[in-house]
Coordinates of all heavy atoms in Angstrom, one line a residue:
R1 N 0.8 -1.2 0.0 CA 0.0 0.0 0.0 C 0.9 1.2 0.0 O 2.0 1.2 0.6 CB -0.9 0.0 1.2 CG -1.9 -1.1 1.1 CD -2.8 -1.1 2.3 NE -3.8 -2.2 2.1 CZ -4.6 -2.6 3.0 NH1 -4.7 -1.9 4.1 NH2 -5.4 -3.6 2.8
F2 N 0.4 2.3 -0.6 CA 1.2 3.5 -0.7 C 0.3 4.7 -0.8 O -0.9 4.6 -1.1 CB 2.1 3.4 -2.0 CG 1.3 3.1 -3.2 CD1 0.8 4.2 -4.0 CD2 1.1 1.8 -3.7 CE1 0.1 3.9 -5.2 CE2 0.4 1.5 -4.8 CZ -0.1 2.6 -5.6
T3 N 0.9 5.9 -0.6 CA 0.2 7.1 -0.7 C 0.7 7.9 -1.9 O 1.7 7.6 -2.4 CB 0.4 8.0 0.6 OG1 1.8 8.3 0.7 CG2 -0.1 7.3 1.8
V4 N 0.0 9.0 -2.3 CA 0.4 9.8 -3.4 C 1.8 10.4 -3.0 O 2.7 10.5 -3.9 CB -0.6 10.9 -3.7 CG1 -0.1 11.9 -4.7 CG2 -1.9 10.3 -4.1
T5 N 1.9 10.9 -1.8 CA 3.1 11.6 -1.4 C 4.3 10.6 -1.5 O 5.4 11.0 -2.1 CB 3.0 12.1 0.1 OG1 1.9 12.9 0.2 CG2 4.3 12.8 0.5
F6 N 4.2 9.4 -1.0 CA 5.2 8.4 -1.1 C 5.6 8.1 -2.6 O 6.8 8.1 -2.9 CB 4.8 7.1 -0.4 CG 5.8 6.0 -0.6 CD1 6.9 5.9 0.2 CD2 5.6 5.0 -1.5 CE1 7.8 4.9 0.1 CE2 6.5 3.9 -1.7 CZ 7.6 3.9 -0.8
L7 N 4.6 7.9 -3.4 CA 4.9 7.5 -4.8 C 5.5 8.7 -5.5 O 6.4 8.5 -6.4 CB 3.6 7.1 -5.5 CG 3.8 6.5 -6.9 CD1 4.7 5.3 -6.8 CD2 2.4 6.1 -7.4
A8 N 5.1 9.9 -5.3 CA 5.6 11.1 -5.9 C 7.1 11.3 -5.5 O 7.9 11.6 -6.4 CB 4.9 12.4 -5.5
K9 N 7.5 11.0 -4.3 CA 8.9 11.1 -3.9 C 9.7 10.0 -4.5 O 10.8 10.3 -5.0 CB 9.0 11.0 -2.3 CG 8.5 12.2 -1.6 CD 8.7 12.1 -0.1 CE 8.2 13.3 0.6 NZ 8.2 13.1 2.1
K10 N 9.2 8.8 -4.6 CA 9.9 7.7 -5.2 C 10.1 7.9 -6.7 O 11.2 7.6 -7.2 CB 9.2 6.4 -5.0 CG 9.4 5.9 -3.6 CD 10.8 5.4 -3.3 CE 10.9 4.7 -2.0 NZ 12.3 4.3 -1.7
A11 N 9.1 8.5 -7.4 CA 9.2 8.7 -8.8 C 9.8 10.0 -9.2 O 10.1 10.3 -10.3 CB 7.8 8.6 -9.4
D12 N 10.0 10.9 -8.2 CA 10.6 12.2 -8.4 C 9.7 13.0 -9.4 O 10.2 13.6 -10.4 CB 12.0 12.1 -8.9 CG 12.7 13.5 -8.8 OD1 12.3 14.3 -8.0 OD2 13.7 13.7 -9.6
L13 N 8.4 13.0 -9.1 CA 7.4 13.7 -9.9 C 6.5 14.5 -9.0 O 6.4 14.3 -7.8 CB 6.5 12.7 -10.6 CG 7.1 11.8 -11.7 CD1 6.1 10.7 -12.1 CD2 7.5 12.6 -12.9
P14 N 5.9 15.6 -9.6 CA 5.0 16.4 -8.8 C 3.8 15.6 -8.3 O 3.3 14.7 -9.0 CB 4.6 17.5 -9.7 CG 5.5 17.4 -10.9 CD 6.1 16.1 -10.9
Q15 N 3.3 15.9 -7.1 CA 2.2 15.2 -6.6 C 0.9 15.3 -7.4 O 0.2 14.3 -7.6 CB 1.8 15.7 -5.1 CG 2.7 15.1 -4.1 CD 2.2 15.4 -2.7 OE1 1.2 16.0 -2.5 NE2 3.0 14.9 -1.7
D16 N 0.7 16.5 -8.1 CA -0.5 16.6 -8.9 C -0.4 15.7 -10.1 O -1.4 15.1 -10.5 CB -0.5 18.1 -9.4 CG -0.8 19.1 -8.4 OD1 -1.3 18.7 -7.3 OD2 -0.6 20.3 -8.6
S17 N 0.7 15.5 -10.7 CA 0.9 14.6 -11.8 C 0.6 13.1 -11.4 O -0.1 12.4 -12.1 CB 2.3 14.7 -12.4 OG 2.5 16.0 -12.9
V18 N 1.2 12.8 -10.2 CA 1.0 11.4 -9.7 C -0.5 11.2 -9.4 O -1.0 10.1 -9.7 CB 1.9 11.2 -8.5 CG1 1.5 9.8 -7.8 CG2 3.4 11.2 -8.9
Q19 N -1.1 12.2 -8.8 CA -2.6 12.0 -8.5 C -3.4 11.8 -9.8 O -4.3 11.0 -9.8 CB -3.1 13.3 -7.7 CG -4.5 13.1 -7.3 CD -4.7 12.0 -6.3 OE1 -4.1 12.0 -5.2 NE2 -5.5 11.0 -6.6
E20 N -3.1 12.5 -10.8 CA -3.8 12.4 -12.1 C -3.6 10.9 -12.6 O -4.6 10.3 -13.1 CB -3.3 13.3 -13.2 CG -3.7 14.7 -13.0 CD -3.2 15.7 -14.1 OE1 -3.2 15.2 -15.2 OE2 -2.9 16.8 -13.7
I21 N -2.4 10.4 -12.6 CA -2.2 9.0 -13.0 C -2.9 8.0 -12.1 O -3.6 7.1 -12.7 CB -0.7 8.7 -13.0 CG1 0.1 9.6 -14.0 CG2 -0.4 7.2 -13.2 CD1 1.6 9.6 -13.9
L22 N -2.9 8.2 -10.8 CA -3.6 7.3 -9.9 C -5.1 7.4 -10.2 O -5.8 6.3 -10.1 CB -3.3 7.6 -8.5 CG -1.8 7.4 -8.1 CD1 -1.6 7.7 -6.6 CD2 -1.4 5.9 -8.3
D23 N -5.6 8.6 -10.4 CA -7.1 8.7 -10.7 C -7.4 7.9 -12.0 O -8.5 7.2 -12.0 CB -7.5 10.2 -10.9 CG -7.4 10.9 -9.6 OD1 -7.4 10.3 -8.5 OD2 -7.4 12.2 -9.6
D24 N -6.6 8.0 -13.0 CA -6.8 7.2 -14.2 C -6.8 5.7 -13.9 O -7.6 4.9 -14.4 CB -5.8 7.5 -15.3 CG -6.0 8.9 -15.9 OD1 -7.1 9.4 -15.8 OD2 -5.1 9.4 -16.6
F25 N -5.8 5.3 -13.1 CA -5.6 3.9 -12.8 C -6.8 3.4 -12.0 O -7.3 2.3 -12.1 CB -4.3 3.6 -12.0 CG -3.1 3.5 -12.9 CD1 -3.1 4.0 -14.2 CD2 -2.0 2.8 -12.5 CE1 -2.0 3.8 -15.0 CE2 -0.9 2.6 -13.3 CZ -0.9 3.1 -14.5
L26 N -7.4 4.3 -11.1 CA -8.6 3.9 -10.4 C -9.8 3.7 -11.3 O -10.6 2.8 -11.2 CB -9.0 5.0 -9.4 CG -8.2 5.0 -8.1 CD1 -8.4 6.3 -7.3 CD2 -8.5 3.8 -7.2
E27 N -9.9 4.6 -12.3 CA -11.0 4.5 -13.3 C -10.9 3.3 -14.1 O -11.9 2.6 -14.4 CB -10.9 5.8 -14.2 CG -12.0 5.8 -15.2 CD -11.9 7.0 -16.1 OE1 -11.4 8.1 -15.7 OE2 -12.4 6.9 -17.3
W28 N -9.6 2.8 -14.4 CA -9.4 1.6 -15.2 C -9.4 0.4 -14.3 O -9.1 -0.7 -14.8 CB -8.1 1.7 -16.0 CG -8.0 2.9 -16.9 CD1 -9.1 3.5 -17.5 CD2 -6.8 3.6 -17.3 NE1 -8.6 4.5 -18.3 CE2 -7.2 4.6 -18.2 CE3 -5.5 3.4 -17.0 CZ2 -6.3 5.5 -18.8 CZ3 -4.6 4.3 -17.6 CH2 -5.0 5.3 -18.5
K29 N -9.7 0.6 -13.1 CA -9.8 -0.6 -12.1 C -8.4 -1.3 -11.9 O -8.4 -2.5 -11.8 CB -10.9 -1.5 -12.5 CG -12.2 -0.8 -12.6 CD -13.3 -1.6 -12.1 CE -14.7 -1.0 -12.3 NZ -14.9 0.4 -12.1
L30 N -7.3 -0.5 -12.0 CA -6.0 -1.1 -11.8 C -5.6 -0.9 -10.4 O -4.6 -1.5 -9.9 CB -5.0 -0.5 -12.8 CG -5.3 -0.7 -14.3 CD1 -4.3 0.1 -15.1 CD2 -5.2 -2.2 -14.6
L31 N -6.2 0.0 -9.7 CA -5.9 0.3 -8.3 C -7.2 0.3 -7.4 O -8.3 0.4 -7.9 CB -5.3 1.7 -8.2 CG -4.0 2.0 -8.6 CD1 -3.6 3.5 -8.4 CD2 -2.9 1.2 -7.9
H32 N -6.9 0.1 -6.1 CA -8.0 0.2 -5.1 C -7.6 1.3 -4.2 O -6.4 1.3 -3.8 CB -8.2 -1.2 -4.5 CG -9.1 -1.1 -3.3 ND1 -10.5 -1.1 -3.5 CD2 -8.9 -1.1 -2.0 CE1 -11.1 -1.1 -2.3 NE2 -10.1 -1.1 -1.4
M33 N -8.5 2.1 -3.8 CA -8.2 3.2 -2.8 C -9.0 3.0 -1.6 O -10.2 2.7 -1.6 CB -8.5 4.6 -3.5 CG -8.0 5.8 -2.7 SD -9.2 6.5 -1.5 CE -10.5 6.9 -2.6
E34 N -8.4 3.2 -0.4 CA -9.1 3.2 0.9 C -8.8 4.5 1.6 O -7.7 5.0 1.4 CB -8.6 2.0 1.7 CG -9.0 0.7 1.2 CD -8.5 -0.5 2.1 OE1 -8.1 -0.2 3.2 OE2 -8.5 -1.6 1.6
T35 N -9.7 4.9 2.4 CA -9.4 6.0 3.3 C -9.1 5.5 4.7 O -9.9 4.8 5.3 CB -10.7 6.9 3.4 OG1 -11.0 7.4 2.0 CG2 -10.4 8.2 4.2
V36 N -8.0 5.9 5.2 CA -7.5 5.5 6.5 C -7.6 6.7 7.5 O -7.1 7.7 7.2 CB -6.1 4.9 6.5 CG1 -5.6 4.6 7.9 CG2 -5.9 3.8 5.6
H37 N -8.4 6.5 8.5 CA -8.6 7.6 9.5 C -7.4 7.6 10.5 O -7.3 6.7 11.3 CB -9.9 7.5 10.1 CG -11.0 7.7 9.2 ND1 -11.5 8.9 8.7 CD2 -11.8 6.8 8.5 CE1 -12.4 8.8 7.8 NE2 -12.6 7.5 7.7
T38 N -6.5 8.6 10.4 CA -5.4 8.6 11.3 C -5.6 9.3 12.6 O -4.9 9.2 13.5 CB -4.2 9.3 10.5 OG1 -4.6 10.6 10.1 CG2 -3.8 8.4 9.3
A39 N -6.7 10.1 12.6 CA -7.1 10.8 13.8 C -8.6 11.1 13.6 O -9.1 11.0 12.5 CB -6.3 12.1 14.0
P40 N -9.3 11.5 14.7 CA -10.7 11.8 14.5 C -11.1 12.8 13.4 O -12.1 12.7 12.8 CB -11.1 12.4 15.9 CG -10.2 11.8 16.8 CD -8.9 11.7 16.1
D41 N -10.2 13.7 13.1 CA -10.5 14.7 12.1 C -9.5 14.7 10.9 O -9.3 15.7 10.2 CB -10.5 16.1 12.7 CG -9.2 16.5 13.4 OD1 -8.4 15.6 13.6 OD2 -9.0 17.7 13.7
S42 N -8.8 13.6 10.8 CA -7.8 13.5 9.7 C -7.9 12.1 9.0 O -8.1 11.1 9.7 CB -6.4 13.6 10.4 OG -5.4 13.5 9.4
A43 N -7.8 12.2 7.7 CA -7.9 11.0 6.9 C -6.8 10.9 5.8 O -6.3 12.0 5.4 CB -9.3 10.9 6.2
L44 N -6.4 9.8 5.4 CA -5.3 9.6 4.5 C -5.8 8.6 3.4 O -6.3 7.5 3.7 CB -4.1 9.0 5.2 CG -2.8 8.8 4.5 CD1 -2.3 10.2 4.0 CD2 -1.8 8.1 5.4
K45 N -5.6 9.0 2.1 CA -5.9 8.0 1.1 C -4.8 7.1 0.8 O -3.6 7.5 0.6 CB -6.3 8.8 -0.2 CG -7.5 9.6 -0.2 CD -7.8 10.2 -1.5 CE -9.1 11.0 -1.5 NZ -9.3 11.7 -2.7
V46 N -5.0 5.8 0.8 CA -4.0 4.8 0.6 C -4.4 4.0 -0.6 O -5.6 3.6 -0.8 CB -3.9 3.9 1.8 CG1 -2.9 2.8 1.6 CG2 -3.6 4.7 3.1
Y47 N -3.5 3.7 -1.5 CA -3.7 3.0 -2.7 C -3.1 1.6 -2.7 O -2.0 1.4 -2.1 CB -3.2 3.8 -3.9 CG -3.9 5.1 -4.1 CD1 -3.4 6.2 -3.4 CD2 -4.9 5.3 -4.9 CE1 -4.0 7.5 -3.5 CE2 -5.6 6.5 -5.1 CZ -5.1 7.6 -4.4 OH -5.7 8.8 -4.5
Q48 N -3.7 0.7 -3.4 CA -3.1 -0.6 -3.6 C -3.4 -1.2 -5.0 O -4.5 -0.9 -5.5 CB -3.7 -1.6 -2.5 CG -3.2 -3.0 -2.6 CD -3.8 -3.8 -1.4 OE1 -4.4 -3.3 -0.5 NE2 -3.6 -5.1 -1.5
L49 N -2.5 -1.9 -5.6 CA -2.7 -2.5 -6.9 C -3.8 -3.5 -6.8 O -3.8 -4.3 -5.9 CB -1.4 -3.1 -7.4 CG -0.4 -2.1 -7.9 CD1 0.9 -2.9 -8.3 CD2 -0.9 -1.4 -9.1
E50 N -4.7 -3.5 -7.8 CA -5.7 -4.6 -7.9 C -5.0 -5.8 -8.6 O -4.0 -5.7 -9.3 CB -6.8 -4.1 -8.8 CG -7.7 -3.1 -8.1 CD -8.7 -3.7 -7.1 OE1 -8.7 -5.0 -6.9 OE2 -9.3 -3.0 -6.4
R51 N -5.5 -6.9 -8.3 CA -5.1 -8.1 -9.0 C -5.8 -8.2 -10.4 O -6.7 -8.9 -10.6 CB -5.4 -9.4 -8.2 CG -4.6 -9.5 -7.0 CD -4.8 -10.8 -6.3 NE -4.1 -10.9 -5.1 CZ -3.1 -11.7 -4.9 NH1 -2.7 -12.5 -5.8 NH2 -2.5 -11.7 -3.7
N52 N -5.3 -7.2 -11.2 CA -5.9 -7.1 -12.6 C -4.8 -7.3 -13.6 O -3.9 -6.5 -13.7 CB -6.5 -5.7 -12.7 CG -7.2 -5.5 -14.0 OD1 -6.9 -6.2 -15.0 ND2 -8.1 -4.6 -14.1
Y53 N -4.8 -8.5 -14.2 CA -3.7 -8.8 -15.0 C -3.7 -8.2 -16.4 O -2.8 -8.4 -17.2 CB -3.7 -10.4 -15.2 CG -3.4 -11.0 -13.8 CD1 -4.4 -11.7 -13.2 CD2 -2.2 -10.9 -13.2 CE1 -4.2 -12.2 -11.9 CE2 -2.0 -11.5 -12.0 CZ -3.0 -12.1 -11.3 OH -2.8 -12.7 -10.1
S54 N -4.7 -7.3 -16.7 CA -4.7 -6.5 -17.9 C -3.6 -5.5 -17.9 O -3.3 -4.9 -19.0 CB -6.1 -5.9 -18.1 OG -6.4 -4.9 -17.1
L55 N -3.0 -5.2 -16.8 CA -1.9 -4.2 -16.7 C -0.7 -4.8 -17.3 O 0.2 -4.0 -17.8 CB -1.7 -3.9 -15.2 CG -0.6 -2.9 -14.9 CD1 -0.9 -1.5 -15.6 CD2 -0.4 -2.7 -13.4
L56 N -0.5 -6.1 -17.3 CA 0.7 -6.7 -17.8 C 1.0 -6.4 -19.3 O 2.2 -6.0 -19.6 CB 0.8 -8.2 -17.5 CG 0.7 -8.6 -16.0 CD1 0.6 -10.1 -15.9 CD2 1.9 -8.0 -15.3
P57 N 0.1 -6.6 -20.2 CA 0.4 -6.2 -21.6 C 0.7 -4.7 -21.7 O 1.6 -4.3 -22.5 CB -0.9 -6.6 -22.3 CG -1.6 -7.5 -21.5 CD -1.2 -7.2 -20.1
F58 N 0.0 -3.9 -21.0 CA 0.3 -2.4 -21.0 C 1.7 -2.1 -20.6 O 2.4 -1.4 -21.2 CB -0.7 -1.7 -20.1 CG -0.4 -0.2 -19.9 CD1 -0.6 0.7 -20.9 CD2 0.2 0.2 -18.7 CE1 -0.3 2.0 -20.7 CE2 0.5 1.5 -18.5 CZ 0.2 2.4 -19.5
L59 N 2.2 -2.8 -19.5 CA 3.6 -2.6 -19.1 C 4.6 -3.1 -20.1 O 5.6 -2.5 -20.3 CB 3.8 -3.2 -17.7 CG 3.0 -2.5 -16.5 CD1 3.2 -3.4 -15.3 CD2 3.4 -1.1 -16.3
Q60 N 4.3 -4.2 -20.7 CA 5.2 -4.8 -21.7 C 5.3 -3.9 -22.9 O 6.4 -3.6 -23.4 CB 4.7 -6.2 -22.2 CG 5.5 -6.8 -23.2 CD 6.9 -7.2 -22.6 OE1 7.1 -7.5 -21.5 NE2 7.9 -7.2 -23.5
F61 N 4.2 -3.3 -23.3 CA 4.2 -2.4 -24.4 C 5.0 -1.1 -24.0 O 5.8 -0.6 -24.8 CB 2.8 -2.0 -24.8 CG 2.7 -1.0 -25.9 CD1 3.0 -1.3 -27.2 CD2 2.3 0.3 -25.7 CE1 2.9 -0.4 -28.3 CE2 2.3 1.3 -26.7 CZ 2.6 0.9 -28.0
A62 N 4.8 -0.6 -22.8 CA 5.5 0.6 -22.4 C 7.0 0.3 -22.3 O 7.8 1.1 -22.7 CB 5.0 1.0 -21.0
K63 N 7.4 -0.9 -21.9 CA 8.8 -1.3 -21.8 C 9.4 -1.3 -23.2 O 10.5 -0.7 -23.4 CB 9.0 -2.7 -21.2 CG 10.4 -3.2 -21.2 CD 10.4 -4.6 -20.6 CE 11.0 -5.5 -21.7 NZ 11.0 -6.9 -21.3
E64 N 8.7 -1.8 -24.2 CA 9.2 -1.8 -25.6 C 9.3 -0.4 -26.1 O 10.3 -0.1 -26.9 CB 8.3 -2.6 -26.5 CG 8.3 -4.1 -26.2 CD 9.7 -4.7 -26.3 OE1 10.5 -4.3 -27.3 OE2 10.0 -5.6 -25.6
M65 N 8.4 0.5 -25.8 CA 8.4 1.9 -26.2 C 9.6 2.6 -25.7 O 10.3 3.4 -26.4 CB 7.1 2.6 -25.9 CG 5.9 2.2 -26.6 SD 5.9 2.7 -28.3 CE 5.8 4.5 -28.2
V66 N 10.0 2.3 -24.4 CA 11.1 3.0 -23.8 C 12.4 2.4 -24.3 O 13.4 3.1 -24.6 CB 11.0 2.9 -22.2 CG1 12.3 3.3 -21.6 CG2 9.8 3.7 -21.7
R67 N 12.4 1.1 -24.4 CA 13.7 0.4 -24.8 C 14.1 0.7 -26.3 O 15.2 1.0 -26.6 CB 13.5 -1.1 -24.6 CG 14.8 -1.8 -24.8 CD 14.7 -3.2 -24.4 NE 13.7 -3.9 -25.3 CZ 13.5 -5.2 -25.3 NH1 14.1 -6.0 -24.4 NH2 12.6 -5.7 -26.0
T68 N 13.1 0.7 -27.2 CA 13.4 1.0 -28.6 C 12.3 1.9 -29.1 O 11.4 1.5 -29.8 CB 13.3 -0.4 -29.4 OG1 12.1 -1.0 -29.1 CG2 14.5 -1.2 -29.0
P69 N 12.5 3.2 -28.9 CA 11.4 4.2 -29.2 C 11.3 4.4 -30.7 O 10.2 4.9 -31.2 CB 11.9 5.5 -28.6 CG 13.3 5.3 -28.4 CD 13.6 3.8 -28.2
D70 N 12.2 4.0 -31.6 CA 12.1 4.3 -33.0 C 11.4 3.2 -33.8 O 11.2 3.3 -35.0 CB 13.5 4.4 -33.6 CG 14.2 5.6 -33.0 OD1 13.5 6.6 -32.6 OD2 15.5 5.7 -33.0
I71 N 11.0 2.1 -33.1 CA 10.4 1.0 -33.9 C 8.9 1.2 -34.1 O 8.3 0.5 -34.9 CB 10.7 -0.4 -33.2 CG1 9.9 -0.6 -31.9 CG2 12.1 -0.7 -33.1 CD1 10.0 -2.0 -31.4
F72 N 8.2 2.1 -33.3 CA 6.8 2.3 -33.5 C 6.5 3.6 -34.2 O 7.1 4.6 -33.9 CB 6.1 2.3 -32.1 CG 6.2 1.0 -31.4 CD1 7.1 0.8 -30.4 CD2 5.3 0.0 -31.7 CE1 7.2 -0.4 -29.7 CE2 5.4 -1.2 -31.1 CZ 6.3 -1.4 -30.1
V73 N 5.7 3.5 -35.2 CA 5.4 4.7 -36.0 C 3.8 4.7 -36.1 O 3.2 3.7 -36.4 CB 6.0 4.6 -37.4 CG1 5.5 5.8 -38.3 CG2 7.5 4.5 -37.4
M74 N 3.3 5.9 -35.9 CA 1.8 6.0 -36.0 C 1.6 6.9 -37.3 O 2.2 7.9 -37.5 CB 1.2 6.8 -34.8 CG -0.2 7.2 -35.1 SD -1.5 6.8 -34.0 CE -1.0 5.7 -32.7
Q75 N 0.8 6.4 -38.2 CA 0.4 7.1 -39.4 C -1.0 7.4 -39.4 O -1.9 6.5 -39.0 CB 0.9 6.2 -40.6 CG 2.3 6.0 -40.7 CD 2.7 5.2 -41.9 OE1 1.9 4.6 -42.6 NE2 4.0 5.1 -42.2
W76 N -1.4 8.5 -39.9 CA -2.8 8.9 -40.1 C -3.1 8.9 -41.6 O -2.4 9.4 -42.4 CB -3.0 10.3 -39.5 CG -2.7 10.4 -38.1 CD1 -1.6 10.8 -37.5 CD2 -3.6 10.0 -37.0 NE1 -1.7 10.7 -36.1 CE2 -2.9 10.2 -35.8 CE3 -4.9 9.5 -37.0 CZ2 -3.5 9.9 -34.6 CZ3 -5.5 9.2 -35.7 CH2 -4.8 9.4 -34.6
Y77 N -4.3 8.3 -41.9 CA -4.7 8.2 -43.3 C -6.0 9.0 -43.4 O -6.9 8.9 -42.5 CB -4.9 6.7 -43.7 CG -3.7 5.9 -43.6 CD1 -3.3 5.2 -42.5 CD2 -2.8 5.9 -44.7 CE1 -2.1 4.4 -42.5 CE2 -1.6 5.2 -44.7 CZ -1.3 4.5 -43.6 OH -0.1 3.7 -43.6
D78 N -6.2 9.6 -44.5 CA -7.4 10.3 -44.8 C -8.5 9.4 -45.3 O -9.7 9.6 -45.2 CB -7.2 11.4 -45.9 CG -6.3 12.6 -45.3 OD1 -6.3 12.8 -44.1 OD2 -5.7 13.2 -46.1
E79 N -8.1 8.3 -45.9 CA -9.0 7.3 -46.4 C -8.8 6.0 -45.6 O -7.8 5.7 -45.1 CB -8.8 7.0 -47.9 CG -9.0 8.3 -48.7 CD -8.7 8.0 -50.2 OE1 -8.6 6.8 -50.6 OE2 -8.5 8.9 -50.9
P80 N -9.9 5.2 -45.6 CA -9.7 3.9 -44.9 C -8.7 3.0 -45.5 O -8.5 3.1 -46.8 CB -11.1 3.2 -45.0 CG -12.0 4.3 -45.5 CD -11.2 5.4 -46.1
L81 N -8.0 2.2 -44.8 CA -7.0 1.3 -45.3 C -7.7 0.2 -46.1 O -8.8 -0.3 -45.6 CB -6.1 0.7 -44.2 CG -5.2 1.7 -43.5 CD1 -4.5 1.0 -42.4 CD2 -4.2 2.3 -44.4
R82 N -7.2 -0.2 -47.2 CA -7.8 -1.3 -48.0 C -6.8 -2.4 -48.2 O -5.6 -2.2 -48.3 CB -8.3 -0.7 -49.4 CG -9.2 0.4 -49.2 CD -9.9 0.7 -50.6 NE -10.7 1.9 -50.6 CZ -11.8 2.0 -49.9 NH1 -12.4 1.1 -49.3 NH2 -12.5 3.2 -50.0
S83 N -7.4 -3.5 -48.2 CA -6.5 -4.7 -48.4 C -6.0 -4.7 -49.9 O -6.7 -4.3 -50.8 CB -7.3 -6.0 -48.2 OG -6.6 -7.1 -48.7
P84 N -4.7 -5.1 -50.1 CA -4.2 -5.1 -51.4 C -4.9 -6.2 -52.3 O -4.8 -6.2 -53.5 CB -2.7 -5.5 -51.3 CG -2.6 -5.9 -49.9 CD -3.7 -5.4 -49.1
L85 N -5.6 -7.1 -51.6 CA -6.3 -8.2 -52.3 C -7.7 -7.7 -52.8 O -8.3 -8.4 -53.6 CB -6.5 -9.4 -51.4 CG -5.2 -10.0 -50.9 CD1 -5.5 -11.1 -50.0 CD2 -4.3 -10.4 -52.1
S86 N -8.2 -6.6 -52.4 CA -9.6 -6.2 -52.8 C -9.6 -5.2 -54.0 O -8.6 -4.7 -54.4 CB -10.3 -5.5 -51.6 OG -9.6 -4.3 -51.2

């Protein structure tokens, strides 16, 4: 389990950026968030990874993008792609 502050320090990123990422991961059901009451008037949001194995292909793709950034090319076409056989 971890907090936004902990993760931001470990990743050396601003807390706002880390919070945006965690919010997206919550929406995609990759994380679970709990509120821990540390005092009667104080609460702390704690995050934990879900056992959602759909994250694995995403991480593999990200690894390939970082390791060899020149192998992926995105092209935009004005017309739909057609099979050379049609």
Side-chain angles (χ1 to χ4, degrees):
R1 294 182 179 175
F2 53 90
T3 63
V4 173
T5 304
F6 174 80
L7 191 57
K9 285 181 184 177
K10 285 290 189 183
D12 194 26
L13 293 169
Q15 281 190 1
D16 292 344
S17 298
V18 172
Q19 184 64 60
E20 285 181 38
I21 294 167
L22 293 180
D23 289 343
D24 286 342
F25 278 22
L26 281 168
E27 184 180 330
W28 300 333
K29 307 222 183 314
L30 299 174
L31 287 179
H32 174 76
M33 190 268 301
E34 292 180 15
T35 303
V36 176
H37 297 279
T38 56
D41 59 345
S42 179
L44 185 65
K45 289 183 181 178
V46 179
Y47 298 86
Q48 181 175 346
L49 285 174
E50 288 284 353
R51 291 184 184 251
N52 183 337
Y53 298 107
S54 64
L55 180 61
L56 296 176
F58 171 77
L59 292 175
Q60 181 66 31
F61 179 74
K63 179 182 117 185
E64 292 299 325
M65 290 290 292
V66 169
R67 188 171 63 174
T68 52
D70 295 334
I71 68 169
F72 293 100
V73 177
M74 168 124 358
Q75 296 180 351
W76 297 97
Y77 296 96
D78 292 333
E79 298 179 16
L81 294 177
R82 302 196 190 284
S83 167
L85 302 175
S86 60

